Tab-separated table of all heavy atoms in Angstrom:
chain	number	residue	atom	x	y	z
A	48	ARG	N	-22.541	-2.544	5.027
A	48	ARG	CA	-23.964	-2.653	5.065
A	48	ARG	C	-24.558	-1.345	5.562
A	48	ARG	O	-24.178	-0.855	6.550
A	48	ARG	CB	-24.463	-3.763	6.097
A	48	ARG	CG	-25.941	-3.918	5.978
A	48	ARG	CD	-26.518	-4.806	7.003
A	48	ARG	NE	-25.937	-4.684	8.406
A	48	ARG	CZ	-26.309	-3.698	9.215
A	48	ARG	NH1	-27.236	-2.789	8.916
A	48	ARG	NH2	-25.818	-3.670	10.377
A	49	ASN	N	-25.283	-0.650	4.726
A	49	ASN	CA	-25.985	0.560	5.063
A	49	ASN	C	-27.461	0.411	4.839
A	49	ASN	O	-27.919	0.277	3.679
A	49	ASN	CB	-25.428	1.634	4.120
A	49	ASN	CG	-25.752	3.067	4.628
A	49	ASN	OD1	-24.959	3.686	5.306
A	49	ASN	ND2	-26.979	3.523	4.210
A	50	ARG	N	-28.155	0.315	5.906
A	50	ARG	CA	-29.590	-0.059	5.900
A	50	ARG	C	-29.674	-1.435	5.234
A	50	ARG	O	-29.078	-2.430	5.724
A	50	ARG	CB	-30.451	0.975	5.205
A	50	ARG	CG	-30.381	2.336	5.781
A	50	ARG	CD	-31.197	3.303	4.934
A	50	ARG	NE	-30.862	4.710	5.294
A	50	ARG	CZ	-31.701	5.508	6.049
A	50	ARG	NH1	-32.708	4.998	6.629
A	50	ARG	NH2	-31.271	6.742	6.233
A	51	ALA	N	-30.391	-1.569	4.039
A	51	ALA	CA	-30.480	-2.801	3.376
A	51	ALA	C	-29.586	-2.909	2.102
A	51	ALA	O	-29.726	-3.738	1.303
A	51	ALA	CB	-31.926	-3.094	2.987
A	52	GLU	N	-28.640	-1.923	1.986
A	52	GLU	CA	-27.754	-1.850	0.775
A	52	GLU	C	-26.384	-2.224	1.258
A	52	GLU	O	-25.921	-1.952	2.291
A	52	GLU	CB	-27.820	-0.402	0.222
A	52	GLU	CG	-27.159	-0.342	-1.054
A	52	GLU	CD	-27.382	1.006	-1.806
A	52	GLU	OE1	-28.267	1.774	-1.331
A	52	GLU	OE2	-26.678	1.262	-2.752
A	53	PHE	N	-25.800	-2.989	0.276
A	53	PHE	CA	-24.427	-3.505	0.513
A	53	PHE	C	-23.424	-2.883	-0.525
A	53	PHE	O	-23.746	-2.810	-1.610
A	53	PHE	CB	-24.428	-5.041	0.459
A	53	PHE	CG	-25.239	-5.645	1.506
A	53	PHE	CD1	-26.593	-5.722	1.426
A	53	PHE	CD2	-24.569	-6.168	2.669
A	53	PHE	CE1	-27.424	-6.249	2.427
A	53	PHE	CE2	-25.411	-6.684	3.739
A	53	PHE	CZ	-26.771	-6.782	3.548
A	125	ALA	N	-23.914	-0.138	9.220
A	125	ALA	CA	-24.704	0.909	9.679
A	125	ALA	C	-26.207	0.598	9.829
A	125	ALA	O	-26.752	-0.178	8.895
A	125	ALA	CB	-24.616	2.071	8.693
Side-chain angles (χ1 to χ4, degrees):
R48 180 187 48 77
N49 194 92
R50 301 177 195 259
E52 190 167 348
F53 294 81

